[in-house]
């Protein structure tokens, strides 16, 4: 059994990590760190874990050496604690925003502050198995991308990798997200009466995940982020322009080739059916990212669509997938829940 | 024009009072009191009033003499400020829980504290036009009932008034409510990710509105209150036992007789149709309370159903209806919005 | 009193027309035509109209001469019946898709069939008061735009009219819509268990409203349409590129100038606040279209946002506004409901 | 591997059976029978099973001998096909309403028709492990109870079994349910625009599950059933009267004793916390039934609360649990998904 700890275990990503790791057949959870609730039962905060675990939250000092630690801390905390965690654990998987960008200058622009550990920025391997599987096999520091970034990148990467996109035109991303992405801390904006039924543009320009998409795809991404009525779930739409002569079949082939062996990416672009394009609700709890596309052949305009559960493939599940890869285990261990329909 | 003020104008009931009073053809709003936001524009807090009003919140000291004041204050504040308001305004319409019960002892049991103005308890006329219209015509102090109490009382009163119910068996009320009933203050329980899709029993026994129902109906009411997925809307189900020999026709006649001339109560008990029983969603924004019933003639068991918008007939609209009565105006002034379908 | 009829009165747009027209102070509804439910009470289909009207649906033959008729028919029916309606009524306001485009060829491309009355296409004045108010004052044939088209057009028109947009780059529209836009006919795609919580891309390219936007703005619009969790409500996001040198202040001035006297367009682009950009939920039942914008000055990218209630400003309300204009009445008659908050 | 088939595999219960059985470590699914979609891919109807299975629906004639068949057929079909299935399969697990009652006369009253196989009624063992585990070990015919019946029974059984309830007063059940309980067939009542946000009393009296509760508890149950906004999830509230002298501690002890060893029943009755009483949303996808209670000691009134996922513990999961028992396997095989939080 591999010994793992979760820091920030009382948040939503932390809870999802616990759900997945407690159900992982080769993992022992040796610490669920919460600075707010040390000593309190884990299932008092995550009621879905009642009868599943008797674990209690602990403080950081109670965590001994471990094989891996997952950081689900508030943004800005990870970069100040990173030194400690590196000493305690062979592998650090960070799920915060702190190490997602590789340039301190870009970090400053998007996060509005100085990075506290800029020299480490280049040492983190992006937690994107579909782009960086080989590097992940030996990584000691992994940074899991933002939920909208993972969706956005996976929905355009097959075409960028094959140079099928007109990079001059850039790419416009429209991301929609449920409320769990804002975390477990109550405030006026996520009060149920205000947030319910919302179509709330909270970042018309300049969202942090935009910088990640630009980095991973090597193009100029413009992203708008909107909160819609959902608790879990992210969907990204991407508008781009195909290079002259690229048709629907070429696009389809690119997607198929890219993802045919991927355990957690499905190409969903059907002619008919209610769920003919990717949609988050049937993915909730699962580690799938579904990707699809449509081509307007008259104009060469491309629309791609991606969907995932922001707490799973957009966070905790993706982290466990990376962990499995790093540990040389089957990639799908502990990640086989297929999602529910209807839901 | 009648001069009116609203105290607690930044809350949800306060905002609904402003919406109704600003649209009332014979009213001038002379004060929107908020201790949190004095000087701030009203439409900054209530965005539906953009372009409708340029009003700003004021502090209590800015309110001069007025014809009526509506108190939409936090519970417990009204009973400490009541002396001041009586001096400022000919009519005080209280929408808090402070003056809904007429006995200090019952207040203590249900609210868990001493009443601060017990001698005034008997002076408030209940803001239930359907039961107390004549008294309301001359009232100077009016206490608008709780939203679930109004629904529960209206759905059983026609039968109680005609002695058709077996009082020994009591009455079991099952109340469901949207999230706006908890007010505009954010906390863990009304965080969207937690509250969304809820079926949350927050008061299995002993809810305060239970005491009001018992008072107005003169029987022993037992109420369970559950939060369900909705922002606005209250529905109450009542289980009771008919006296021997009382059949469906007698029940139907009682409802028809009682409410045929009521401008804001509709009897909804059809044989077919999607909306054959009362349902809140088509009432949102309107001042209607729909009531219906079903009789199991084999056993003499009765089920009644009531629905309303908790912020309108369950609060602000009911208050304006009482105000219209008191001022000798047509009862429906400013209250004619019929509700939306679909919604 | 003006005598008006509604054809297709049992649908969702038809019901909304009835709600508005029955509440209109200078209108008498002389016919609510439904081929499915002749003789049936209107409030049996539209339960929000209980106690508001005793009207019954009639067949088309029961409608005598009238001052105006509103066609809320299924697509394709209006263009076959148009000859009849022109004879019966001085003014025909069509809310279907049949006369929204002015070229038979474009109609064929987007609707996939031949137009049945192509010579009339040029006679209809677009029901967009903000663009065509003067022409509407004398129009006898009015075609109300699609809900997503109205939102999309209003959110970009001030900039197009002032030549502030780089037309070469086109404009990418991302439209989100509630389920009522699909109408009142049940099918697998709008079954609650399937449609609930959806983020469903139903038209990644080639939606019919795209053609209207292109027509009214004179540019190449690309639109993606997604169904999200809501019954009512449309929101459009538009990505475009500003001409070099156009900054945020210029954009803001354009919006202010364009809409300062418009009774039903509000510019919503604030620095802070939950509702700082346009959002449909606070507009439900109201005739407002809120529009807003954000500028990324570093790149010259523009994002505009529009929101409306698809059944009101996106349909019935807009139609009544056009009718008021044509009849020389105050534009806001019967359209003053401000919307609800919270909802 | 045990060979199992599912009849009615294209419905919602059928899809959930497939999800669970395909993930069951000791089961091979040898037939997914659908009369509507023979030859069509299963994942075309149940999109959550994409990449999980290549199975296609088959017709009943393609199913050979098997160890168990699960009937998720439309009501009334199971009792006409039962003879066939008994010949094909050693074990028949029926999930329809056809064999839930043991008296033809009660069936006639609640279902409004004659039973087609009345002599078999007594041969079915109720699929309630918590009440009938020993009989299930050897059963060849199992009838899984209705979703609301399972919830209602489990929430009162510990007290009935210990004679703590005043049977004279009967028990009033208030059941709330999501839309998936109505099945996958579209109709006006479950159109999203109508069903969304509903609080719809569809059975104020006489619901069929009422008869099951009365049967299993041996008392006179009165049930009201309401559709609320949810796709999955059932919650039942029960009002009953305790025998004199029975206090809260006795009630608590009864629940603890009854369910301490049950793998899928959790007692949830805490003093504080958002999820202090049973609530379906954190159970979706899981096989748990959470039960809780509250006692008003002054009056002796009892409120019990139960929650489950209607498609899992209220259907497919409960069926698999019964199957595991019958086959002598560990009861939790294939049923370990714990549910999600938040959701």
């Amino acid at each position: 059994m591999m010994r793992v700890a979760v820091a920030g275990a009382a948040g939503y990503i932390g809870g999802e990590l616990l759900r997945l790791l407690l159900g992982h057949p080769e993992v022992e959870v040796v610490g669920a760190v919460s600075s707010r609730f040390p000593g309190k039962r884990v299932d008092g905060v995550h009621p879905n874990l009642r009868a599943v675990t008797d674990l209690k939250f602990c403080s950081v000092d109670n965590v001994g050496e471990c094989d891996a630690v997952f950081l689900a801390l508030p943004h800005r905390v990870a970069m100040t604690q990173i030194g400690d965690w590196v000493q305690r654990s062979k592998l650090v998987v960070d799920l915060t925003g702190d190490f997602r960008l590789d340039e301190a200058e870009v970090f400053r622009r998007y996060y509005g502050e100085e990075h506290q550990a800029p020299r480490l920025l280049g040492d983190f391997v992006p937690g994107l198995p579909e782009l960086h599987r080989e590097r992940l096999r030996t990584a000691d520091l992994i940074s899991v991308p933002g939920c909208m970034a993972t969706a956005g990148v996976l929905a355009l990467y097959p075409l960028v990798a094959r140079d099928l996109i007109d990079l001059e035109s850039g790419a416009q991303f429209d991301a929609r997200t449920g409320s769990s992405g804002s975390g477990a801390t109550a405030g006026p904006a996520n009060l149920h009466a205000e947030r319910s039924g919302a179509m709330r543009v909270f970042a018309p320009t300049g969202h942090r995940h935009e910088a990640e998409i630009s980095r991973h795809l090597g193009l100029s991404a413009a992203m708008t982020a909107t909160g819609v009525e959902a608790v879990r779930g992210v969907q990204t739409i991407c508008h781009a322009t195909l290079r002259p002569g690229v048709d629907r079949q070429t696009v389809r082939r690119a997607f198929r080739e890219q993802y045919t062996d991927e355990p957690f990416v499905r190409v969903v672009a059907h002619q008919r059916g209610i769920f003919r394009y990717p949609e988050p609700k049937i993915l909730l709890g699962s580690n799938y990212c579904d990707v699809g596309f449509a081509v307007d052949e008259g104009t060469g305009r491309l629309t791609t669509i991606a969907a995932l559960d922001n707490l799973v493939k957009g966070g905790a599940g993706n982290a466990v997938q990376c962990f499995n890869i790093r540990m040389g285990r089957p990639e799908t261990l502990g990640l086989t829940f297929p999602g529910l329909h209807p839901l």
Side-chain angles (χ1 to χ4, degrees), chain A:
Chain A
M1 299 294 273
M2 295 172 284
R3 295 164 50 85
V4 308
V6 175
Y12 287 158
I13 289 279
E16 201 65 355
L17 282 164
L18 290 177
R19 175 180 73 84
L20 293 171
L21 294 168
L22 289 166
H24 192 292
E26 304 187 13
V27 156
E28 180 190 5
V29 177
V30 299
V33 180
S34 166
S35 57
R36 283 184 297 163
F37 302 119
K40 186 169 177 176
R41 287 180 62 92
V42 159
D43 63 6
V45 171
H46 304 302
N48 59 325
L49 300 182
R50 286 170 180 159
V52 172
T53 184
D54 287 319
L55 201 65
K56 292 180 181 171
F57 292 113
C58 63
S59 71
V60 65
D61 302 325
N62 303 121
V63 181
E65 294 210 349
C66 45
D67 296 298
V69 65
F70 295 85
L71 306 185
L73 297 162
H75 289 303
R76 303 192 176 104
V77 177
M79 62 182 170
T80 65
Q81 295 189 353
I82 186 66
D84 282 355
W85 289 112
V86 164
Q87 293 197 320
R88 262 175 237 267
S89 178
K90 294 173 210 156
L91 170 64
V92 175
V93 183
D94 181 31
L95 292 98
T96 77
D98 289 2
F99 295 99
R100 288 175 182 162
L101 301 175
D102 54 355
E103 297 177 52
E105 164 55 26
V106 181
F107 182 88
R108 190 184 304 117
R109 184 161 9 114
Y110 275 92
Y111 286 76
E113 63 183 305
E114 289 298 315
H115 201 282
Q116 299 304 308
R119 284 184 304 182
L120 285 177
L121 280 177
D123 296 346
F124 276 80
V125 176
L128 270 173
E130 294 78 9
L131 274 72
H132 298 290
R133 184 170 279 110
E134 289 313 310
R135 292 178 63 198
L136 288 168
R137 293 197 202 284
T138 58
D140 291 329
L141 295 171
I142 296 173
S143 170
V144 176
C147 50
M148 296 183 276
T150 294
V153 167
L154 293 180
L156 204 55
Y157 182 70
L159 306 182
V160 169
R162 286 159 184 76
D163 198 21
L164 304 177
I165 297 290
D166 173 19
L167 296 181
E168 298 276 306
S169 304
Q172 291 77 42
F173 289 84
D174 214 81
R176 304 89 185 256
T177 176
S179 62
S180 62
S182 317
T185 307
N190 55 19
L191 180 63
H192 181 269
E194 302 295 342
R195 182 60 176 75
S196 175
M199 301 189 203
R200 185 159 300 158
V201 178
F202 63 93
T205 61
H207 192 282
R208 293 162 178 183
H209 296 182
E210 177 183 288
E212 295 180 63
I213 297 176
S214 296
R215 172 192 175 192
H216 292 297
L217 294 180
L219 49 68
S220 172
M223 190 173 97
T224 294
T226 305
V228 297
E229 174 56 54
V231 170
R232 290 181 181 228
V234 155
Q235 185 184 53
T236 59
I237 307 297
C238 171
H239 304 273
T241 304
L242 292 169
R243 289 201 185 283
V246 179
D247 64 5
R248 189 177 290 121
Q249 279 314 315
T250 308
V251 170
R252 181 175 296 276
R253 199 180 315 120
F255 274 93
R256 296 282 181 207
E257 280 176 14
Q258 187 73 43
Y259 293 131
T260 192
D261 292 329
E262 282 298 335
F264 291 118
V265 181
R266 301 184 295 201
V267 180
V268 176
H270 299 293
Q271 292 303 309
R272 59 186 62 82
I274 299 175
F275 292 93
R276 64 188 180 278
Y277 292 113
E279 189 159 346
K281 74 171 200 154
I282 58 165
L283 303 177
L284 304 192
S286 95
N287 197 46
Y288 288 113
C289 177
D290 284 354
V291 297
F293 58 87
V295 174
D296 182 336
E297 295 200 323
T299 61
R301 288 190 300 238
L302 167 79
T303 304
T304 72
I305 303 132
L308 50 72
D309 179 335
N310 54 304
L311 299 182
V312 190
K313 183 62 176 173
N318 204 16
V320 172
Q321 185 183 356
C322 293
F323 163 83
N324 285 337
I325 291 171
R326 172 63 182 78
M327 297 303 183
R329 299 303 198 279
E331 215 163 305
T332 61
L333 266 191
L335 296 171
T336 53
F337 178 69
L340 297 170
H341 172 258
L343 189 65

